[in-house]
Amino acid sequence: MAEPPDGQPCVGVFARAWAKAVAGTSYLPMTHAQLEMLLQRLTNLLAEALRAEPLDLRVGHRVANELVAAHIASAEALGRTVEVIQLRLVRDLDLVADDIEDRLARLLGAVATGYARALRDRTLDEQESIRRAAMTARAEAEQALRASEARFRHQATHDPLTDLPNRTLFAERLAAAVTGSAGSGRRVGLCFLDLDRFKRVNDSFGHQIGDRALVAAARRLRRAVEPHLVARLGGDAFVVLVERSTGTGDVVAVAEAALAALSEPVVVDGHDVTVTASVGIVERRVVGTSPDDLMRAAGSTLLWAKAAGGAGWALYDAERDSREQARQELSAAIPAGLERGEFFLDYQPLTSLHDGSVLGVEALVRWRHPRLGVLRPDSFIGLAEETGLIVQLGGWVLAEACREAVGWTSASGQPPYVSVNLAVRQVRRPGLVQEVRALLRRTGLPPNRLQLEITESTMMTTSEEPVRALRALAALGIRIAIDDFGTGYSNLAYLRDLPVTELKVAGEFVRGLRTPDALADERILASLVSLAHALDLTVTAEGVETGGQAERLRAIGCDAGQGWHFGRPAPPDHILARIR
Amino acid sequence: MSLRRPDWAPETIDVERPSVARMYDYYLGGSHNFAVDRAAARAMVAAVPQAPLMAQANRAFLRRAVQFLTDAGIRQFLDIGSGIPTVGNVHEIAQRHAPESRVVYVDIDPVAVAHSREILAGNDRTAVIQEDLRNPEQILANPDVRAMLDFSQPVAVLVVAVLHFVSDDDRPAEVLRALRSALVPGSYLVLSQASDDGRDETERAEAEEVYRRTDNPLWVRGRAELTGFFDGFELVEPGVVWVPQWRPETPESAEDAERAVFLGGVGRLGG
C-alpha cells in the first residue's frame, strides 16, 4: 500500500477499513486494490477539510460525488461510509481540535447530503436512459413492423420477376378508377398487351433468357407509359391502366408508346430476343361499365389485334364484340340444342334431267332455336366447324337422315338416295367407317341409298387416313359426291385415285346460264360434264332456279339438277308426296 | 433451435414483462429497470436471498476474466448475452488496459440493445447487435460482427450468465461448437451459469418459478455439464469452479464461494 505524500500511515489504515466496509454493498467495477486507492485519496480530502479553517463543506459533497461516480452507489454503502467515518476517522488519523466533534458532524452531514443527491440524480438519469432505450426499441420495432408490412404488401401486390404491380394491385386500382367518385364525365382506358409468339423465345433460348427478356420488356413498358399503372397479369400478358382519359386518342397514344418501346432491339446474353406485341384497347366512360366488362372487352380486342397478325393495336368495337359474343353463345348452345331435339332435317330433291324423277334428296339441317326461331345451317355450321361441335352435330344429321330415309318407298320401285354432307373433321376422325357401317346395320338402309357429300378441301390433305376411309365407304356401296365442285382447287388428281361417284357443280356456274350469251360458263359446264362422264361420274348441277337453266343443262348432258326450280328444301312428308 | 419468426414479423417490445437483463441490472444496484423488473427481482430475492450477491459475484468473475484475457494478449471480445451495459462493461475493462481492444455486444433483448447503442455511441471500437445466442451462425455472419472482429486472430467469446437461459432442447453444446468452429487457436471461451450443484430443491424450484414469468426460463446445470461445454478448449486454472473461486483477488473473497450459485471457467483453444 502506497503511503500518502505526507507520510501518515494512519490514512492507509482508515482507507482499508473503509474499503472493507463498503465491499459487497453493491457491485463495484474495480479491484479491491483500486478501491483502497480511491478511498485513500478521499480520506486525505476529508482529513484536510477537517484541519482547514474555515471548514469547507463542499469537500463533503465532492467526496460523496466521487463515491457515487465510482459506482460505490447504494444505500448500504452510504450507511457503512457514515458509520466508518464517525467511528474511526478522527481516531485513525489522530485529528486534534477543540471542535473536532462538531466539525466532523457537519462534514458528515455534507457527505450524506451530497451522496443522497448524487444517488438520486444517478437513479433519475438511469431511469431516463432506460426509458429512452425502451422507447427507441419500441419505435424501432414498430418501424421494422411497418417496413415488413410494407414489404409484405409489396410482395403481395407485385410480380416477383419484373417487380411490376400484379393482378391483385391492378384489380384494386381498376376498381377504384371505375367505382371511386364516378363523376359523370370520367373516362377510363385499358391497354391489354401481349407479346407476340413469346413462347418461341422460351422454346429457343430457355426460360432463363425468356425471363430476362420479360424483365427487359417490363422495364421498357413501365418507362414508356409513365405515369400510368402497368401490371403484369402473368406470362407475357401486361395491362396498362389509363385513368382520367379524355378520349380514345389518349389510350391509343399510350399503346403506341408501349409498342414503340418494345420494338427496340433486345439482346440478352448475345441472343436477339426482340419481340413485337399486340394491344387491345378499350376506352369508355366510367359510368355504366365495370372492371370485369373492361377486362373482358380489352381481352377480346387483344385477340382481334393478334388475329390481324400482331405487332399492332386494335380498338374495341362494340358491334363486332356483340356479334362475336352472339356467335359464341350460339355455338355454346349447340350441345344442349341437340339434347333437347331442337335440330331437324329438311330435304331438297336431286332431280333427273332425263325423266324428271327424284333420284335423291339432300338432307339439310335446321335448328329450331327457342329464342331465335328456325336457323339455317349457314348461321351455325361454320361455328360448329370452328369449335369441333360439327362432329357431334354431323353425326346426328347422318343418323337422322338414314333413320328417316329407310322408310321411304317409291311408286317407281327405286326410292331416292339420301345425300348427307360430311365435314372435314368428320372424315378425318378415326372410326368413321365403323360408325357408318353400324348405322346402316341399325337402320337397315341399303348402302346404295346413302350418298356422302364431301368438299374438295377435305381431299386437300397429306394424310392417307381420309382417303382410306372414303375407299372403305365406297366399297360398302355408298355413293361419294364432291360438293361445290369447281370453286376450290379443283385438283383433278384425286378424281383418278378416289372412288367418287358424282360431282356436284357449284351453283355459280349455273347462275351464268340465265343470260343467253354466257358462253364461258356454259363451256366450262360442258367440259366438266364431259370430263365427269369420261371418268364414269354423274354430274348434278346445284342452284338451278329456272326452267331455262334446266333446259340448257339437259342439252349439255348434265345428269341431275338441284335448286328452287325442282323444289325447295322441305320436310320429309313433302318429299314423300312427290315420289309416290 | 427454437422456431424463428419470419423476418417480416419483428418481435414487439413488451415492457410489461420482466426482462432478465433489467433484473440483473437491479441485482447489481442499477436503476436501469422498470417496476415490473423490480417486482420480479424482489420475488427472486425472496426465494433466493443471495440473488444480488450471485449477480455481483458473477459480474466480478467477468471483470477478472476479461482482465486475465487482456493480460493474455486478447484484443477482441464477443460478449453474447451482454444485457444492460451498466457498470464494468467488457470494453471498459479491456480498453482501460489495451485501448485498441474491440468488443461486440450481443443481446436478444431489444431494450438492452437500444440502451447499449446509446451508451456506446461514439466508441468506434465497439458494436452492438440484437441476436439470439441460439443462432450462432447468424451472430457469426452478422456484418457488424465481421466488420469489428477479425476471426483470423484470436477472439474471446464470452457466454457469461446466459447459458442458463438456453434449454437443453436448444442444444447449448451445439451452439458452443458452432461458435468454436469460427475461432482460431489462441482464442478463448468464458462461460458461467447458474448451477444446481448442492442446491436446495425448494429454492431452485422457486427461482425457476420466478424466471418462468420472463421470456427466459431458467435451466440450471451441474459442474460436469458445464465442463462438457468446454469441449475442444483447454481449461485454464483453476478450471470450472464457483465463480468467486476463479482467480480471486484476495483469499477472503473466495470464502463461502458456493453461495454465489454460479459456476464459471475459462478455456483456451489449443493447437
Side-chain angles (χ1 to χ4, degrees):
Chain A
M1 176 62 50
E3 290 301 320
D6 54 4
Q8 293 177 38
C10 37
V11 173
V13 172
F14 176 79
R16 266 194 297 281
W18 193 1
K20 201 170 174 209
V22 295
T25 51
S26 69
Y27 172 68
L28 306 182
M30 64 194 89
T31 64
H32 200 76
Q34 287 165 335
L35 175 63
E36 284 185 7
M37 208 127 75
L38 169 69
L39 295 181
Q40 197 166 314
R41 192 162 57 74
L42 298 184
T43 303
N44 279 327
L45 285 176
L46 290 172
E48 278 164 35
L50 285 172
R51 289 189 191 106
E53 195 61 50
L55 177 65
D56 186 357
L57 293 179
R58 285 174 307 179
V59 173
H61 296 156
R62 186 179 151 197
V63 166
N65 282 336
E66 288 214 28
L67 286 170
V68 173
H71 306 293
I72 305 163
S74 65
E76 292 76 11
L78 174 60
R80 302 268 182 88
T81 294
V82 168
E83 188 183 333
V84 79
I85 292 174
Q86 175 81 50
L87 282 177
R88 297 190 58 159
L89 186 65
V90 170
R91 193 182 69 208
D92 284 357
L93 271 63
D94 201 16
L95 296 165
V96 185
D98 292 346
D99 56 350
I100 192 69
E101 290 299 316
D102 180 62
R103 291 170 75 92
L104 183 65
R106 287 167 65 205
L107 187 61
L108 255 182
V111 167
T113 305
Y115 194 97
R117 196 181 288 152
L119 195 56
R120 178 166 176 270
D121 283 354
R122 174 189 161 100
T123 303
L124 291 173
D125 287 350
E126 289 188 352
Q127 281 282 294
E128 188 179 327
S129 133
I130 192 68
R131 265 169 221 292
R132 201 163 46 230
M135 275 193 307
T136 304
R138 188 176 297 157
E140 277 171 3
E142 275 165 13
Q143 201 177 1
L145 187 66
R146 271 196 303 277
S148 73
E149 278 166 356
R151 200 159 60 239
F152 186 67
R153 158 95 187 140
H154 186 90
Q155 279 169 4
T157 55
H158 287 74
D159 164 44
L161 177 66
T162 61
D163 203 39
L164 285 182
N166 64 10
R167 190 182 286 274
T168 307
L169 181 56
F170 175 75
E172 278 176 21
R173 289 279 300 273
L174 179 59
V178 171
T179 57
S181 73
S184 55
R186 285 264 306 282
R187 303 181 69 85
V188 65
L190 288 187
C191 296
F192 198 148
L193 184 148
D194 187 283
L195 304 181
D196 296 329
R197 294 169 290 275
F198 186 72
K199 192 177 171 298
R200 280 194 203 164
V201 173
N202 280 332
D203 290 348
S204 321
F205 306 118
H207 283 266
Q208 210 171 349
I209 285 178
D211 280 356
R212 285 166 63 186
L214 276 176
V215 171
R219 196 180 308 124
R220 287 160 179 228
L221 261 182
R222 194 205 302 252
R223 247 197 315 253
V225 307
E226 255 172 352
H228 303 297
L229 176 88
V230 54
R232 181 180 179 218
L233 299 183
D236 52 16
F238 301 87
V239 62
V240 184
L241 173 64
V242 182
E243 293 181 72
R244 290 184 189 77
S245 161
T246 61
T248 306
D250 284 3
V251 190
V252 168
V254 168
E256 286 185 337
L259 288 171
L262 289 175
S263 68
E264 300 276 324
V266 184
V267 177
V268 173
D269 262 6
H271 302 291
D272 181 2
V273 290
T274 309
V275 286
T276 59
S278 303
V279 186
I281 300 172
V282 57
E283 198 275 347
R284 58 172 69 150
R285 278 173 57 173
V286 162
V287 174
T289 192
S290 71
D292 284 352
D293 271 356
L294 281 163
M295 282 305 285
R296 201 201 55 73
S300 303
T301 314
L302 173 63
L303 293 181
W304 302 343
K306 289 261 177 206
W313 52 266
L315 192 59
Y316 178 72
D317 172 350
E319 214 171 287
R320 178 173 175 182
D321 190 35
S322 63
R323 215 159 51 228
E324 288 191 357
Q325 245 181 300
R327 278 168 54 85
Q328 192 62 39
E329 280 167 23
L330 198 60
S331 154
I334 289 176
L338 275 172
E339 203 150 287
R340 286 196 293 260
E342 290 170 6
F343 291 88
F344 66 94
L345 298 180
D346 273 350
Y347 297 90
Q348 188 173 31
L350 281 63
T351 307
S352 165
L353 290 171
H354 303 302
D355 59 11
S357 64
V358 176
L359 300 173
V361 291
E362 181 176 352
L364 296 162
V365 65
R366 306 285 188 253
W367 184 358
R368 189 175 288 110
H369 192 280
R371 193 160 46 80
L372 303 171
V374 174
L375 301 176
R376 294 161 51 85
D378 50 3
S379 61
F380 58 87
I381 288 294
L383 279 177
E385 283 179 337
E386 279 171 31
T387 55
L389 288 167
I390 192 67
V391 172
Q392 203 184 345
L393 182 59
W396 178 85
V397 170
L398 182 59
E400 180 68 3
C402 291
R403 191 183 66 78
E404 290 191 318
V406 76
W408 299 342
T409 53
S410 167
S412 60
Q414 173 65 16
Y417 58 81
V418 65
S419 190
V420 179
N421 291 283
L422 272 194
V424 179
R425 286 196 199 228
Q426 284 176 281
V427 180
R428 290 192 185 158
R429 193 161 160 260
L432 172 70
V433 178
Q434 290 92 310
E435 187 190 330
V436 172
R437 200 184 283 137
L439 181 63
L440 292 178
R441 199 180 313 127
R442 197 165 66 240
T443 57
L445 185 73
N448 63 355
R449 286 195 52 217
L450 176 63
Q451 172 167 285
L452 297 175
E453 296 188 19
I454 58 172
T455 58
E456 284 184 273
S457 58
T458 309
M459 309 319 303
M460 294 294 126
T461 168
T462 52
S463 163
E464 276 291 302
E465 267 314 300
V467 173
R468 209 170 295 148
L470 288 174
R471 283 216 183 97
L473 291 169
L476 291 176
I478 294 169
R479 303 167 57 90
I480 306 290
I482 304 293
D483 200 6
D484 283 334
F485 188 81
T487 55
Y489 291 98
S490 301
N491 185 334
L492 299 178
Y494 63 81
L495 292 180
R496 189 184 57 205
D497 300 333
L498 277 184
V500 176
T501 33
E502 170 159 303
L503 296 186
K504 291 185 79 179
V505 179
E508 56 194 87
F509 296 109
V510 177
R511 260 194 301 281
L513 297 182
R514 252 190 280 189
T515 51
D517 47 41
L519 286 175
D521 283 335
E522 188 161 341
R523 282 178 186 159
I524 291 171
L525 278 170
S527 309
L528 284 177
V529 168
S530 65
L531 169 71
H533 287 171
L535 293 169
D536 274 339
L537 308 178
T538 57
V539 178
T540 297
E542 296 178 307
V544 182
E545 293 180 356
T546 66
Q549 289 171 337
E551 194 50 46
R552 295 177 82 151
L553 287 165
R554 180 170 34 246
I556 285 167
C558 193
D559 302 286
Q562 179 182 4
W564 293 1
H565 175 67
F566 298 107
R568 300 189 175 216
D573 45 331
H574 285 73
I575 303 296
L576 287 175
R578 282 193 53 185
I579 57 177
R580 284 208 180 94
Chain B
M1 290 286 135
S2 61
L3 191 66
R4 295 262 308 158
R5 284 160 190 258
D7 62 357
W8 43 266
E11 313 201 15
T12 50
I13 307 300
D14 185 5
V15 292
E16 296 309 309
R17 276 170 78 78
S19 139
V20 297
R22 297 190 301 260
M23 286 166 70
Y24 190 76
D25 173 78
Y26 179 76
Y27 298 144
L28 292 179
S31 302
H32 300 101
N33 43 68
F34 299 124
V36 63
D37 309 310
R38 294 190 285 277
R42 280 195 288 269
M44 178 66 181
V45 173
V48 185
Q50 75 273 27
L53 181 135
M54 289 157 50
Q56 288 170 30
N58 192 70
R59 197 70 175 166
F61 162 72
L62 172 68
R63 172 164 51 75
R64 296 196 304 280
V66 171
Q67 186 66 63
F68 165 82
L69 295 167
T70 308
D71 293 345
I74 293 293
R75 295 294 178 265
Q76 305 193 97
F77 298 85
L78 179 60
D79 184 0
I80 306 175
S82 48
I84 299 285
T86 43
V87 290
N89 295 301
V90 174
H91 76 279
E92 289 170 358
I93 305 161
Q95 289 178 352
R96 191 184 305 141
H97 296 272
E100 72 275 24
S101 299
R102 290 191 299 277
V103 182
V104 175
Y105 293 104
V106 182
D107 205 277
I108 191 176
D109 183 337
V111 177
V113 169
H115 191 244
S116 305
R117 288 226 170 88
E118 193 181 309
I119 300 283
L120 298 170
N123 189 328
D124 57 7
R125 293 201 183 87
T126 62
V128 191
I129 65 161
Q130 186 184 342
E131 195 48 83
D132 190 332
L133 167 61
R134 291 167 292 192
N135 302 327
E137 290 86 2
Q138 308 242 34
I139 294 173
L140 293 168
N142 187 291
D144 289 344
V145 175
R146 289 278 154 190
M148 189 60 65
L149 302 180
D150 173 5
F151 282 89
S152 71
Q153 298 297 315
V155 174
V157 175
L158 315 178
V159 182
V160 174
V162 64
L163 219 46
H164 46 260
F165 298 127
V166 177
S167 77
D168 288 344
D169 290 344
D170 286 326
R171 304 173 186 229
E174 278 181 28
V175 168
L176 293 168
R177 205 170 304 138
L179 290 169
R180 189 189 71 201
S181 69
L183 303 177
V184 295
S187 294
Y188 284 88
L189 174 67
V190 182
L191 286 185
S192 80
Q193 92 137 69
S195 168
D196 53 354
D197 277 7
R199 299 310 318 162
D200 178 295
E201 189 56 38
T202 344
E203 194 176 282
R204 185 183 113 178
E206 285 179 40
E208 286 181 352
E209 182 55 37
V210 168
Y211 276 89
R212 203 160 294 138
R213 296 204 301 271
T214 70
D215 285 326
N216 307 87
L218 209 54
W219 291 78
V220 292
R221 296 188 174 90
R223 188 186 306 254
E225 251 182 301
L226 198 58
T227 305
F229 289 154
F230 281 100
D231 176 41
F233 291 88
E234 298 157 7
L235 279 166
V236 303
E237 282 300 315
V240 173
V241 292
W242 297 114
V243 288
Q245 294 169 334
W246 197 88
R247 303 192 175 222
E249 280 162 4
T250 57
E252 315 84 82
S253 60
E255 285 166 13
D256 289 338
E258 71 279 6
R259 289 186 65 226
V261 177
F262 275 79
L263 287 170
V266 177
R268 182 180 185 277
L269 196 61

